[in-house]
Every structure is written in C-alpha cells, then in structure tokens.
Amino acid sequence: MKTIFLRALEAEDKAATLIASIRNPEATLGRQRFEVKMASFGLLPRSPFAYWVSDNLRQLFQRLPPFEAEGRTVRQGLATADDFRFLREWWELKAAVPRLMEERWFPFAKGGASSPFYADLHLVVNWQRGGLEIQNNLNERGGVRSNVWMLRDTAAKFFFRPGLTYPARPHGSGWFSVVPRRCIFSHNGPMVFADGDSLPIWLAVLNARSFHHLVQLMMARGQGGSGQTLTYEVGMIACTPVPRLQKEDEIELRDLAQRAWSIKRSLDSCMETSHAFALPAVLQVAGDTLPARAITWSKLVSARDAEFSAIQSEIDERCFELYGIDLPDRRAIIEGFGADAEFPNAAVDGDPDCDSEVDEQENPEGSSDLPNLGGQLVSWVAGVAFGRYDVRLATATRSLPAEPEPFDPLPVCSPAMLTGDDGLPLMRSPAGYPVAFPDNGILVDDRGHALDLATAARLVFDEVFKPNGEVWWNQVGTLLDPRDHDLRTWLASSFFEYHLKRHSKSRRKAPILWQLSLPSGHYSIWLYAHRLTRDSFFQIQNDVVVPKLAHEERKLTSFIQSAGSIPSATERKEIAEQEAFVDELRSFLDEIKRVAPLWNPLLDDGVSLTMAPLWRLVQHKPWQKELKNKWSELAAGKYDWAHVAMHLWPERIVPKCATDRSLAIAHGLEDVFWGEGGDGIWSPRHTPTRPVDELVRERTSIAVKAALQGLTEASASNGSTAGTRRSSG
C-alpha cells in the first residue's frame, strides 16, 4: 500500500496546485504528487522523509558500495579553538626557509567558500612539534580547548596526506577541491582520502550533480532547497553510494578532473594572495590600452568558464550513466520542482559557507572591471618596486615555472615572486636585474627623494611598457584617480585601502605593505613587512625623517626671510601651511623615536600584533582602530603567547610560564618550568631549572622599558586631515 504526498512548496498559488494534484493525478505525478511505500524510506541511511525520491534512487543505496569502502575514507580535522593565535595567512609570514615537516607553519584547509576542483589554501596553522602548543592551550577549567586530543589517529595517519576537502556547512552544494601533500585540515574542512593514485577520479565523481543529490537526500533535501543551510557530515559522505568504475571510466574521469583543476587554477593566477599568482590580469593578455586588455581578459575568462562548464556537464552526464540514473530522475535532479533548483550553475563557485569563515570581501580581485584591473596592475608594480615580484616575468626575460601537479606540495612562494635558485625570496637585486629595490624595505611618498615610491613605480611602468610607459602611467592614473588624473595621488591616498582589502581573508587582516603617514596625508613612509629588522625605525629616524624635517625647516626659514616684515596674504598662507607641515613632521619624528628602541618585529605573531605599537603612525582610520585595540589588548595581557608581549613585558609573562605549559612552549621555556614524568605526563617543576628573576632580567632592556613608558604615556596626534594633499620636494 502506498501513501500519497502532495507538494506545493514552490507554488505561488498553493491551493490551485493542491487541487490540480488531486484532480489530475497522472499529469502531476512525480512533480506535485508522489505515491510512496512508507517502508521504502528505510532504504536510505537515517530513513529521511524524502517522499519525492524515486525507487531507483533509493535502491542505489543498496546496490552500490558506500564511498567509505575499498581503501576510501572520510575524516574530520583540527579545531584550534583559538584561530587568531594559531592561524596565519600564508603571505603574512616571512618565507625564510622551505616549509618542511619539522617546521612550524603548514597549509591549512579550513572549509570556507565552496569551490569545485581547485581552491587555494590561504591559511597556515602552527603545528610545530605536532601541535604541542595547541594541545596545551587550556581553558579556565584546565581542559584542552581544541579537539587535538581526539585526533591522535587522524593526525598520525591523515595529516600531510593528499586528499579532497569540502566545506562542512556549505550554503548550496558542498564542492570538493584538491588538498596537496603536506597540509593539515580543519573540522570545518573535512577531507576524503583514497588509496593509490585514484584521488583525481574521485575528484570528478564527488563533484558530480548525482553525488551531491544523493548526499542531500539523506538530509531530506535535494529539490528546491535554495538558500537552505546544509551540513555535510563526515558520516553522510562516508555512506553515500558511489558507482563501480571500469578502467576506461577511470581514465576518462581522471582526465576531466585534471582539466577542470587546471582551468580553475589558471583563473587564480591573477590573484595576488594566491599560491598560483603569476601576473596581474592585464599583463597576461596583449593590447595597446588598458580597456583593450580588459576586453581581451574578459573574453579569456568567459572562454575558460565555458570550457569548465562543458567539462562539468560531461562529468555530470558520465556519472548519471555510471550510477544508472534514468532521464526522469536526471531531470528532477537538474531542474528541481521550482524555478530555483538546488544545484548551482557549474561554472560559478558555490556560495560562502555559513560558518562565517568566508572573506569579508569575497574575492575582490576576481572582477574584470577596469578599476579593479588597474588596481591589480598598480599593486603588482608596487610589489616590484619593493622587490617582492619579479618584473622579468612581465617582460618575458624570465619564464614562468611549469604548472604543478594538483597534489604537489604548495610552494613557499608564488610564481610571481622574485626568488633565487633555492626558491626563496631574494633580499637584494640580482646582477643585471632591471629594477633596483630597497634592501631595507623602506620607500617614501616624497617627490624628488631617491626612495620615492611613485618614482619607483613609474620606472617599473617604463620597463614593462617601454617605449610607452608614460602613456600607460597616465591612463591608469586617470582611471584610478578621476579627479586629479594622478597615479601618485592614488598611491598616497587610496592604495593602502586597496591593499588591505585584498590581503584580508577569513576575518583576518594581514597587509604586508604598511603606510605610515602624517595626519594631513602630506607625507608617508611605506614599509615592506618582510624586510623589516630591529634597526628599521632607527634607519627611518636617521636616514629618512630627520633629513626630511631639516629640509622642510630650511624651506620654512626661506619663506619667512623672503616674505620680509610685511608679508602678503599669499605669503602668510604659504608660511602658515609650511609651519603646520613642519609641526606634523616634528610630531611624526617624536613618535618614530618612541617606537625605534622597542621595535622588534617577528611576523610569526601576525601582522596586527607586530604592527600594533605603530598605531599612532597609521592614518587609515579602520586599520588604526584595529591596531589601537590590539595594542590595548596586548598591554592588558590578552596575547601573552606573542613574542612582542614577552619582548615588552617579560616580568609579567615569564612567571605565567610556570603554570601555563602552552605559554612556556610558545616562549621556549618548557624545559625550565615543566618536566615529563615516567608515565609520560608533564607537570610543573617544584623548582625551575633557572630562577625566574634571572630569566626576567635576561629579557628586560632598560631602553625598551623607557621607550615603552614613553609610548604608553604619549597621546595620539590630533593633526587635522582637512585640506588638499600636496607633494613636497
């Protein structure tokens, strides 16, 4: 005996739909009317109340093997319980040495937005000594905050293995993408594993409409579920049926998956924060003008999207055949019951997951509009000026590396970066390199200065677009700064905002080009984070700001002397503006002097904590507020695991290491305060191996303490930001 179900969820006129289902059963059967044996619900795991499912689809769960069989498995990964402490953006860290197993930071698959076949892993996790610092990060009750103790088997057997990941809680469909070797995965980004070299095959199958539909049937979802939040639980993926494959099926699916991955990765090659970044979009195509190149790039992207859609359709069709899904069921899977089918267009990435791991500005570099393409270009040019990116890739005097295999370990540096034969960043201009860059990572916004950023950027334009560097400089400046038509003005007033947005992901802000400015915006110093040392602010003080102030003071004296005893209105205005500028420079220099003695950058702490002592020197208001908050929290003891905290407040932190093993590990004091018993359990030592006061004394500097007191007592500058920005020279 069958039970009749009438469906009117998608109908605008539900009453009319119900009446039609009753009066015309044959016409509405399988669309609004369903006749189901109640016992058949038990054919699906969890017995979901999926009345719309055909008997053929239900029987797939009985006829075919589950995914977790024959050497295949699914695992949930790490929950750090303190992402701010244990996660970083990959570009945030200084690439000093290759990322090997015994090191600290490893690529981390955290879920986030769904992306089929390919998704760059922008996060890294602190897994030094097998995640020992995470393991010992305790809550107020003394329990381990993370789930790391439950992952002993997973960590030992599956961390660092290649696999496929997906967002555990997607919005729409949970796409599967490649995770290379030497990576760690999250509880929000579970992974599937398979024996041998079969992962590309399963990459194709798991991204097919048929597989997703079968997963969602177990949630009583699968038709017309647009906007619904799903949870792709590990157990559900494990028990979803997969087709039995012959050798020729495997060859075909492997080839399709490889092609799909390659296309998706190629579209990522213009993204500055991607491991695949090679060149900005407008330098990957030809054209005499920026609009012409924008059109060519847009056509190229459209062609690649179309090719990807064709591959996805081919995978879908092939998997329908392999599953033995007939035409009526295929139509129901693809079309759903209403206008909004649950499966998104294959050429478009899935929506951000509902776990709040998505970027605040989702993929801002992916747009093909002219301002974004112009911004991409200038951002790359600035990177070349600082020595981060290799200009020779744009002039074809150096070749891009070959495309890696999907499961190859992620590189330490993107292909765009200026590296040596060892694959690590170069700190000095190599012999014959056409664009010199500052070894100390310091440039300024100061027309006529030897370290002027705009001048350096213009030289890059000349090298890339010769003999038309000036033409391109002017057209990009007109595009980005319609009012002044001046790329120099855009670099000074808008570039940091652009850079900050494009270096912010997963609610983490990590700019690596820092702008320190006067409140008026009349003068800026730019710093490349990866080149900074303990001496950087002494260099800024003595080699940059002191000479600049002396120059402007002489200029002020000249104005006053030229005006005489009865200056004109124009002269009085000029003198007043110059006096205000000189006063700002003096205050700026005072702040540099406060910071210089205590400056000790270590980017392992993360950009925001490293930069926190500089908050008074930052004029970008949202970023200044963020840094000010971080500085207050540092002073209050919220981030005592950070190296900057130990550097500034050792008298507070060293004693804490005696009771907090995680802090002791972070600061290299574990063996001083903790010991391992015969049972393998670590406990505090009754007497540290070295006296606490001696440890504090070693880490305390009179100069640092004096500078810290001065910085704490200083008030923020109240200089006005009104008025038109002017260049000084």
Side-chain angles (χ1 to χ4, degrees):
M1 182 177 177
K2 294 183 177 180
T3 301
I4 296 173
F5 297 87
L6 305 179
R7 182 183 181 103
L9 288 175
E10 296 77 21
E12 292 185 8
D13 189 341
K14 291 180 169 42
T17 299
L18 290 174
I19 292 172
S21 300
I22 295 170
R23 292 179 176 175
N24 301 294
E26 296 299 325
T28 58
L29 189 65
R31 299 292 292 176
Q32 283 83 39
R33 181 187 177 97
F34 303 88
E35 299 178 1
V36 184
K37 291 182 179 180
M38 296 296 287
S40 67
F41 290 139
L43 296 176
L44 272 67
R46 301 185 175 192
S47 301
F49 199 60
Y51 56 83
W52 60 86
V53 181
S54 70
D55 288 339
N56 181 47
L57 289 180
R58 289 191 183 89
Q59 290 168 5
L60 291 179
F61 287 84
Q62 306 298 314
R63 295 201 311 263
L64 297 176
F67 177 81
E68 191 162 76
E70 302 170 3
R72 302 180 298 267
T73 190
V74 192
R75 286 293 185 273
Q76 192 174 48
L78 173 68
T80 72
D82 191 346
D83 286 351
F84 183 79
R85 177 176 178 179
F86 296 113
L87 301 187
R88 301 288 182 270
E89 304 290 0
W90 76 269
W91 63 82
E92 194 171 1
L93 303 172
K94 194 171 182 178
V97 287
R99 198 175 291 136
L100 300 176
M101 294 290 287
E102 65 270 16
E103 292 188 59
R104 184 175 187 181
W105 299 102
F106 295 87
F108 191 51
K110 198 173 186 290
S114 293
S115 180
F117 297 93
Y118 168 89
D120 189 51
L121 302 184
H122 60 88
L123 289 170
V124 291
V125 63
N126 178 358
W127 196 249
Q128 193 174 35
R129 297 172 63 189
L132 197 62
E133 198 174 326
I134 299 175
Q135 292 177 25
N136 288 277
N137 184 28
L138 307 181
N139 58 30
E140 295 78 7
R141 298 182 299 277
V144 177
R145 298 181 65 197
S146 77
N147 68 343
V148 70
W149 288 106
M150 299 183 290
L151 294 176
R152 292 181 182 179
D153 177 69
T154 298
K157 294 183 179 179
F158 297 101
F159 282 2
F160 309 115
R161 280 182 55 181
L164 312 176
T165 189
Y166 63 94
R169 287 185 282 177
H171 186 87
S173 292
W175 298 99
F176 290 77
S177 59
V178 164
V179 174
R181 296 177 182 85
R182 299 183 189 171
C183 296
I184 293 173
F185 56 100
S186 161
H187 69 300
N188 283 324
M191 281 183 64
V192 302
F193 301 92
D195 287 345
D197 62 350
S198 64
L199 278 171
I201 300 165
W202 297 112
L203 179 63
V205 173
L206 271 57
N207 276 314
R209 293 175 183 265
S210 44
F211 183 85
H212 285 277
H213 186 76
L214 294 173
V215 173
Q216 294 182 6
L217 291 185
M218 289 182 280
M219 295 178 262
R221 308 284 178 88
Q223 302 292 358
S226 178
Q228 296 174 324
T229 297
L230 310 177
T231 301
Y232 274 40
E233 296 177 6
V234 165
M236 297 169 72
I237 301 299
C239 65
T240 301
V242 292
R244 296 183 176 91
L245 305 175
Q246 303 299 319
K247 189 66 176 178
E248 57 270 22
D249 302 324
E250 294 179 349
I251 293 172
E252 181 181 6
L253 291 171
R254 183 191 306 276
D255 177 66
L256 290 169
Q258 175 80 37
R259 288 164 53 199
W261 177 88
S262 181
I263 291 170
K264 295 286 288 185
R265 183 183 180 277
S266 73
L267 294 173
D268 219 32
S269 66
C270 68
M271 308 299 181
E272 192 172 350
T273 55
S274 170
H275 286 89
F277 180 52
L279 286 167
V282 296
L283 295 183
Q284 295 192 33
V285 294
D288 294 333
T289 65
L290 183 62
R293 294 197 184 201
I295 292 171
T296 304
W297 175 256
S298 181
K299 289 179 179 178
L300 177 63
V301 171
S302 296
R304 288 174 179 172
D305 282 343
E307 184 181 359
F308 181 83
S309 292
I311 292 172
Q312 180 69 66
S313 296
E314 195 171 346
I315 289 172
D316 290 338
E317 186 65 24
R318 193 73 189 92
C319 287
F320 280 142
E321 294 173 0
L322 292 170
Y323 272 110
I325 297 175
D326 58 23
L327 288 176
D329 279 337
R330 295 185 195 186
R331 190 177 302 113
I333 290 172
I334 294 171
E335 298 175 3
F337 293 102
D340 50 341
E342 55 84 22
F343 202 95
N345 186 293
V348 181
D349 286 359
D351 294 327
D353 79 337
C354 62
D355 197 36
S356 299
E357 303 299 340
V358 68
D359 307 346
E360 295 177 11
Q361 180 104 0
E362 185 63 31
N363 197 16
E365 289 185 272
S367 170
S368 294
D369 64 273
L370 277 173
N372 178 65
L373 293 179
Q376 270 190 21
L377 175 62
V378 177
S379 182
W380 174 83
V381 165
V384 172
F386 276 105
R388 179 171 177 80
Y389 300 128
D390 193 339
V391 71
R392 296 171 298 184
L393 297 174
T395 59
T397 54
R398 184 180 181 186
S399 300
L400 283 167
E403 180 181 82
E405 291 298 316
F407 297 97
D408 285 350
L410 289 173
V412 175
C413 301
S414 69
M417 293 175 66
L418 179 62
T419 59
D421 294 336
D422 58 1
L424 299 179
L426 289 175
M427 302 306 290
R428 291 178 174 81
S429 301
Y433 189 68
V435 179
F437 56 85
D439 298 344
N440 59 9
I442 301 171
L443 290 173
V444 296
D445 172 30
D446 191 0
R447 192 188 299 272
H449 196 285
L451 297 175
D452 179 48
L453 172 60
T455 301
R458 172 60 192 278
L459 291 175
V460 178
F461 268 81
D462 289 343
E463 178 67 22
V464 173
F465 297 106
K466 58 184 172 186
N468 300 312
E470 182 177 2
V471 174
W472 277 83
W473 174 268
N474 290 333
Q475 69 169 305
V476 174
T478 300
L479 172 69
L480 295 179
D481 188 46
R483 191 177 74 170
D484 292 341
H485 303 277
D486 187 357
L487 198 49
R488 171 182 289 275
T489 302
W490 187 83
L491 282 167
S493 61
S494 303
F495 174 54
F496 182 75
E497 171 76 16
Y498 183 95
H499 177 78
L500 178 64
K501 284 183 178 179
R502 281 144 186 83
H503 289 74
S504 299
K505 290 180 179 289
S506 297
R507 296 178 294 168
R508 186 175 187 88
K509 297 179 175 65
I512 55 174
L513 300 182
W514 303 347
Q515 184 183 26
L516 312 180
S517 305
L518 303 186
S520 64
H522 289 174
Y523 180 76
S524 297
I525 294 175
W526 287 88
L527 307 177
Y528 176 28
H530 292 177
R531 296 267 167 80
L532 300 181
T533 68
R534 296 188 66 167
D535 295 328
S536 291
F537 275 82
F538 288 114
Q539 294 176 0
I540 294 169
Q541 172 188 315
N542 299 325
D543 301 339
V544 180
V545 184
V546 167
K548 175 65 174 174
L549 177 58
H551 171 75
E552 297 301 335
E553 287 175 334
R554 289 193 298 270
K555 200 170 179 180
L556 175 59
T557 300
S558 176
F559 285 170
I560 293 172
Q561 290 174 346
S562 297
S565 59
I566 309 176
S568 66
T570 300
E571 289 170 331
R572 288 197 301 272
K573 180 180 179 182
E574 188 175 52
I575 291 170
E577 288 181 349
Q578 187 65 13
E579 285 177 336
F581 184 45
V582 168
D583 285 344
E584 280 194 302
L585 279 172
R586 287 170 179 157
S587 297
F588 191 71
L589 178 58
D590 288 343
E591 192 65 27
I592 296 290
K593 288 179 176 178
R594 292 188 188 101
V595 171
L598 58 77
W599 179 250
N600 185 30
L602 186 63
L603 289 173
D604 274 14
D605 286 344
V607 164
S608 61
L609 293 187
T610 303
M611 205 177 169
L614 310 180
W615 72 267
R616 293 181 180 89
L617 295 166
V618 173
Q619 301 307 322
H620 182 275
K621 295 307 178 186
W623 184 233
Q624 182 192 64
K625 181 179 179 181
E626 174 114 354
L627 296 181
K628 182 180 179 181
N629 289 339
K630 289 293 184 288
W631 177 249
S632 298
E633 291 169 345
L634 268 169
K638 185 173 182 179
Y639 308 116
D640 281 350
W641 46 265
H643 297 83
V644 65
M646 176 65 88
H647 177 62
L648 298 177
W649 298 283
E651 70 283 355
R652 181 182 78 205
I653 296 170
V654 170
K656 285 186 178 181
C657 293
T659 56
D660 188 329
R661 187 182 170 205
S662 184
L663 277 186
I665 294 169
H667 294 297
L669 294 174
E670 180 186 25
D671 291 337
V672 173
F673 291 107
W674 296 77
E676 184 178 15
D679 54 2
I681 296 177
W682 286 74
S683 57
R685 296 183 186 275
H686 293 296
T687 303
T689 60
R690 295 184 60 195
V692 170
D693 58 349
E694 180 180 302
L695 294 169
V696 172
R697 192 163 51 249
E698 286 179 352
R699 289 160 175 77
T700 301
S701 161
I702 296 175
V704 168
K705 282 301 178 185
L708 177 60
Q709 181 177 355
L711 190 64
T712 302
E713 294 173 352
S715 60
S717 173
N718 292 317
S720 172
T721 58
T724 304
R725 187 191 180 280
R726 62 184 175 87
S727 296
S728 56

